[in-house]
Amino acid sequence: MNFCGKILMILIIWLFCFTGIYASNKYVSNIGSDSMGDGTLGNPYRSVNYATSIYRPNSVEAGDTLFLLGGIYNAAQNLNATSPGGIVGSPIVIRPYGNQSVVIDGTGLSLGNTDALMYLYKQYVVLEDVIVRNSSGRGISYYLADNITIRNCTVYNIQQRGIGGSGDNILIEKNTVYNTCLKNVNEWYINNGSNGGWAAGIGPLGFPNNATYQGRSSNNIVVRNNTVYNTWGEGILLNNVDIGIVENNTVYNTYSALMYYDKCSNISINKNHLYFDNFSYNKDQGKSNERASNGIALANEDHYTGNAPYKPSENFTISNNLVQGTDKGVSYWHDGTSTSFYNSYRNIQIYHNNLLEIKRYVIRFDFVDTAHTATGQVFIKNNITSTLSPSTSVIIGNNVNDFEFSHNNWVSGIPSVGSHNASFSSNPLFINAVLGGSPQGFRLASNSSCKQAGTAVMINEDFWGTSRSFSSPSIGIEETASCPSTIIHNAVVNTGIYSAANNIYSNAEIKFGNVVEYKAEDCVKLNADFDVKVGGVLDIVLDVCDF
């Protein structure tokens, strides 16, 4: 082989080694063998733990897919602690083989409160499409992790937490979690002398308070498109998280709070459907203060020694959420047992929500004394609210001037607390509003007073992803008057044919600049507005656009 040939061969070997070309499939079966198997489809291992140990032949490596053959696995399936995990662009993927059903079942297993049926360590691991059930401990957990994805799993009949753990860059999406936190059935904790301690359906949390991690927050957490219900703890709980997105989740009938954010900062809570209609999950049952679950609740409980993680609840954007039937809509609970200087809140934005049929408090922020960080501003704009207790719809413990109310529809009456600029009280005229029903029923009728009645805020889309108007957005979760792009006045050019007889532009192309953004069969000119129809059906209203 000549010199050029040798160089070419070296380059080929280098590419094989460093571009993931050796990524392969490994296999586990509930009837496989850890002692005799080799991880192939014809001779699979029996456990995830064995398959991912670096000390085993044909071990799972970065870029590999570990296929679980269909069946019921009556044993915990944990990623081996010796596994280094995946790498950027080459995660370890654990999923069922083909369309087979994989069930991790803890029936008869003796798991402790913090043990899990699926335990993910390390970094760059994707777990998807498995069923995890019947755990005397937890369902799916990760610990001190980085870049973990848990997707499209079903988790149920779990004594403690359904899904969660500590780690950065975590994605939890498209999972169904129910009948979790069963240790607290019928308020076990309260009945045994504790006013807390129950787990959550989905619960990302921060790092331990030790010399290495010093109680720091977990960063970059995304919880989206999950369904959580019938849970004897909070539905979704973020504990000590910095930079998080919680969006497009459906949570109902969970204990204490549908969503709870403890010691968190820089959080977006957007496009979630939250409702409570099962009194079996009431808190303090049989007592004078028995009450439904809270909707979206913030707090600063149990700071570590030395005040870690050194921050109040701050920089929240709570937008486009449909919240129904809860005791409180949006609230801040001040933990009187916490002496932390950071037991406080600031910069909370509450925009474009429907907070409806709230039992007592639409908005409640508890008093924070001067031993803690001074409270900051709270902005409450463009919301539709209703309550069974109009006299207590708004409770503010600190300076009411820090709360900016504007352009809200207080259906049950404008509160006496606070100054309410451009707000009003009227029937919003939802097309078919039902507690626990489809969000579609909360779209606005054509003659709703909430249409184009809002003020501009930095929320770009509505509950369904329609662009918000930049000049006069609608109030609540639906936008009814937005252009189909980010262009404002005089940005639309018609290239269709105009018929003066029926006032219609046919086959219109709506352009922004020279780019066609939208096509319609006909555009009917109504005074200064254009109703854009497709197949005779109203599709979008252009209220700030000109042809």
Side-chain angles (χ1 to χ4, degrees):
M1 182 181 295
N2 60 30
F3 178 78
C4 291
K6 291 180 180 179
I7 293 297
L8 179 60
M9 182 59 69
I10 291 171
L11 287 174
I12 292 173
I13 293 172
W14 185 88
L15 287 171
F16 272 37
C17 292
F18 293 97
T19 61
I21 197 72
Y22 286 126
S24 62
N25 299 332
K26 311 291 169 58
Y27 301 86
V28 166
S29 169
N30 64 335
I31 58 173
S33 173
D34 286 341
S35 60
M36 301 297 292
D38 59 11
T40 61
L41 180 58
N43 191 18
Y45 294 129
R46 188 177 181 86
S47 69
V48 172
N49 184 278
Y50 190 94
T52 55
S53 169
I54 62 172
Y55 301 112
R56 312 306 181 195
N58 201 26
S59 175
V60 174
E61 299 175 342
D64 287 354
T65 296
L66 179 60
F67 285 111
L68 308 181
L69 301 182
I72 297 175
Y73 293 72
N74 188 219
Q77 299 296 321
N78 301 328
L79 194 73
N80 194 283
T82 66
S83 172
I87 59 175
V88 176
S90 296
I92 291 174
V93 178
I94 304 173
R95 67 175 326 276
Y97 181 62
N99 295 320
Q100 296 179 9
S101 175
V102 171
V103 180
I104 314 301
D105 192 315
T107 299
L109 302 182
S110 296
L111 300 179
N113 288 336
T114 60
D115 294 331
L117 280 176
M118 290 288 299
Y119 219 138
L120 308 176
Y121 298 87
K122 305 301 181 179
Q123 60 184 4
Y124 297 100
V125 178
V126 177
L127 173 68
E128 56 188 10
D129 299 321
V130 302
I131 299 170
V132 177
R133 69 187 188 192
N134 302 329
S135 174
S136 58
R138 294 169 173 170
I140 301 172
S141 289
Y142 51 89
Y143 185 62
L144 306 181
D146 187 19
N147 282 281
I148 300 292
T149 296
I150 301 170
R151 176 186 296 124
N152 202 36
C153 295
T154 300
V155 181
Y156 65 96
N157 292 352
I158 309 296
Q159 289 294 307
Q160 296 290 344
R161 184 182 62 210
I163 299 174
S166 62
D168 296 329
N169 307 305
I170 306 298
L171 171 60
I172 302 172
E173 66 173 357
K174 300 181 181 179
N175 303 286
T176 300
V177 179
Y178 64 98
N179 290 354
T180 60
C181 314
L182 295 178
K183 182 171 182 179
N184 192 41
V185 165
N186 299 323
E187 302 194 285
W188 183 90
Y189 283 92
I190 286 180
N191 293 332
N192 283 272
S194 174
N195 195 36
W198 47 82
I202 295 178
L205 70 154
F207 286 77
N209 187 33
N210 57 28
T212 301
Y213 298 102
Q214 300 181 0
R216 77 165 179 85
S217 300
S218 289
N219 298 313
N220 301 318
I221 309 299
V222 178
V223 181
R224 67 186 181 200
N225 296 312
N226 302 283
T227 300
V228 184
Y229 63 98
N230 293 2
T231 287
W232 280 96
E234 286 87 2
I236 295 177
L237 162 64
L238 269 62
N239 186 337
N240 192 9
V241 168
D242 180 42
I243 308 176
I245 297 174
V246 182
E247 63 182 8
N248 296 113
N249 300 285
T250 299
V251 184
Y252 60 96
N253 297 335
T254 71
Y255 180 77
S256 185
L258 301 177
M259 287 188 171
Y260 192 48
Y261 299 85
D262 181 17
K263 301 185 291 293
C264 292
S265 55
N266 301 301
I267 306 294
S268 170
I269 308 168
N270 187 37
K271 302 181 184 179
N272 299 286
H273 184 194
L274 314 177
Y275 65 92
F276 188 87
D277 64 359
N278 187 339
F279 298 150
S280 298
Y281 293 94
N282 276 7
K283 191 174 181 181
D284 290 316
Q285 296 176 15
K287 301 176 183 177
S288 60
N289 61 337
E290 179 174 347
R291 57 200 181 275
S293 185
N294 293 323
I296 299 172
L298 284 56
N300 283 283
E301 293 186 59
D302 305 323
H303 278 259
Y304 296 121
T305 302
N307 285 331
Y310 313 106
K311 62 182 180 182
S313 294
E314 63 181 348
N315 304 330
F316 276 73
T317 299
I318 303 170
S319 59
N320 292 319
N321 299 288
L322 173 56
V323 183
Q324 303 171 265
T326 57
D327 183 63
K328 304 176 187 70
V330 178
S331 60
Y332 174 82
W333 175 65
H334 183 69
D335 178 10
T337 67
S338 173
T339 59
S340 169
F341 177 70
Y342 299 97
N343 186 5
S344 185
Y345 63 85
R346 59 193 178 200
N347 191 27
I348 312 297
Q349 301 174 347
I350 306 169
Y351 298 152
H352 286 293
N353 301 282
N354 288 5
L355 308 174
L356 304 173
E357 301 177 67
I358 304 304
K359 302 293 191 260
R360 292 193 296 171
Y361 312 106
V362 174
I363 303 291
R364 175 168 178 147
F365 280 66
D366 287 352
F367 173 71
V368 178
D369 62 41
T370 55
H372 308 283
T373 301
T375 59
Q377 285 190 291
V378 178
F379 305 89
I380 304 166
K381 302 181 181 183
N382 299 340
N383 303 284
I384 302 175
T385 82
S386 67
T387 177
L388 304 183
S389 182
S391 63
T392 60
S393 60
V394 173
I395 299 292
I396 298 172
N398 288 84
N399 186 356
V400 69
N401 294 325
D402 286 339
F403 286 70
E404 184 176 325
F405 296 93
S406 176
H407 297 77
N408 300 294
N409 181 0
W410 301 93
V411 177
S412 306
I414 296 177
S416 59
V417 175
S419 177
H420 297 271
N421 176 48
S423 295
F424 56 93
S425 177
S426 72
N427 187 334
L429 299 178
F430 298 122
I431 62 173
N432 186 30
V434 176
L435 176 61
S438 169
Q440 293 288 340
F442 294 85
R443 288 187 180 274
L444 301 172
S446 59
N447 56 337
S448 171
S449 58
C450 296
K451 287 190 170 185
Q452 297 93 62
T455 185
V457 294
M458 294 301 294
I459 303 298
N460 295 326
E461 295 182 344
D462 75 354
F463 185 91
W464 291 275
T466 300
S467 297
R468 289 281 182 189
S469 169
F470 288 89
S471 57
S472 55
S474 292
I475 290 175
I477 65 172
E478 183 189 14
E479 184 54 66
T480 61
S482 62
C483 294
S485 185
T486 58
I487 307 301
I488 311 179
H489 299 282
N490 305 315
V492 180
V493 178
N494 174 65
T495 59
I497 301 172
Y498 176 66
S499 171
N502 53 17
N503 198 29
I504 288 178
Y505 290 93
S506 61
N507 298 318
E509 289 187 346
I510 302 171
K511 294 183 177 181
F512 302 113
N514 293 318
V515 180
V516 176
E517 292 282 352
Y518 197 91
K519 291 187 178 182
E521 295 177 5
D522 54 79
C523 298
V524 183
K525 189 177 189 305
L526 300 174
N527 298 320
D529 298 338
F530 287 88
D531 286 351
V532 180
K533 297 182 178 181
V534 177
V537 178
L538 180 65
D539 192 56
I540 194 169
V541 177
L542 310 177
D543 71 324
V544 294
C545 302
D546 299 323
F547 280 87

